[in-house]
Amino acid sequence: MKLRTHYVFSLGLLSLFDSVLLSDSLEIIIIAGVISVITNNVIDSLGHEIKGKYISRTPVTHTIPRSIGWGLLTSAPIALALRFLLHSPIGLILVTATDGAVAGLSHMLLDIFTEKGIFHKVDGRWKRIALAHFSYDNPFVNGLATLLGILMLFVAVHNHDILTLEKLFSSLP
């Protein structure tokens, strides 16, 4: 998928995920946006190599476990900054750290539908797995993923007060 598609899809997914756990929707969207951009950039920057006139994915970042690791690595400095510079609550810090892993997984979720797919190890060798073999720049598929990201963002903002577990737990005796 195109990088901007990854940005929007991850932003929507992270916002929806975070809206269930936290109460401040503007803070959620800002953090989700920052983590989405940073994580997806790191995964694509470190996980592609130039072979002649083509760019190819590598297993450095395009495996499920490694994408989670890179996501956690990119969100950790943000979580630490929230803790030590802004003295944010521990719930926000934990959700921020988790957002990196979710963003890494969302990158693999979209890339597994492209023709080059993602990597997994079979008998000690890297093999590609692809589910649908769409071109990475297919306008319909990129548009659909972008639309899903926007829809998830809309649901996160619109239903924020209804979905918040923090609000539910605060009403318990």
Side-chain angles (χ1 to χ4, degrees):
M1 296 283 168
K2 290 195 164 274
L3 195 52
R4 67 177 172 255
T5 304
H6 285 291
Y7 293 158
V8 176
F9 185 82
S10 291
L11 170 64
L13 181 63
L14 294 177
S15 297
L16 186 58
F17 175 74
D18 293 354
S19 71
V20 174
L21 303 171
L22 301 171
S23 60
D24 188 354
S25 61
L26 181 60
E27 195 172 59
I28 287 168
I29 293 170
I30 291 169
I31 291 171
V34 169
I35 290 174
S36 173
V37 169
I38 293 172
T39 300
N40 284 299
N41 268 315
V42 165
I43 288 173
D44 270 358
S45 297
L46 298 177
H48 290 117
E49 65 184 8
I50 298 173
K51 289 185 175 182
K53 59 182 179 178
Y54 299 103
I55 297 175
S56 178
R57 290 184 189 135
T58 69
V60 171
T61 60
H62 282 81
T63 70
I64 290 175
R66 290 180 180 181
S67 69
I68 292 169
W70 285 109
L72 288 170
L73 191 63
T74 58
S75 63
I78 298 166
L80 291 172
L82 287 171
R83 174 69 179 124
F84 295 111
L85 298 177
L86 301 175
H87 308 290
S88 297
I90 193 71
L92 177 63
I93 295 159
L94 292 173
V95 168
T96 300
T98 306
D99 278 354
V102 175
L105 280 172
S106 78
H107 194 102
M108 295 304 104
L109 176 65
L110 293 182
D111 278 357
I112 201 165
F113 289 102
T114 62
E115 57 195 346
K116 300 298 181 185
I118 62 174
F119 292 90
H120 67 110
K121 229 174 199 176
V122 177
D123 297 327
R125 296 187 52 146
W126 290 113
K127 301 285 185 183
R128 291 182 188 262
I129 181 171
L131 297 180
H133 301 281
F134 291 114
S135 171
Y136 83 96
D137 61 351
N138 180 308
F140 175 75
V141 176
N142 277 275
L144 182 61
T146 300
L147 188 61
L148 280 171
I150 292 168
L151 181 64
M152 288 185 288
L153 180 61
F154 176 77
V155 169
V157 171
H158 187 283
N159 292 326
H160 187 265
D161 288 330
I162 297 168
L163 295 173
T164 305
L165 288 176
E166 186 176 338
K167 185 176 179 181
L168 175 68
F169 289 133
S170 67
S171 67
L172 294 176

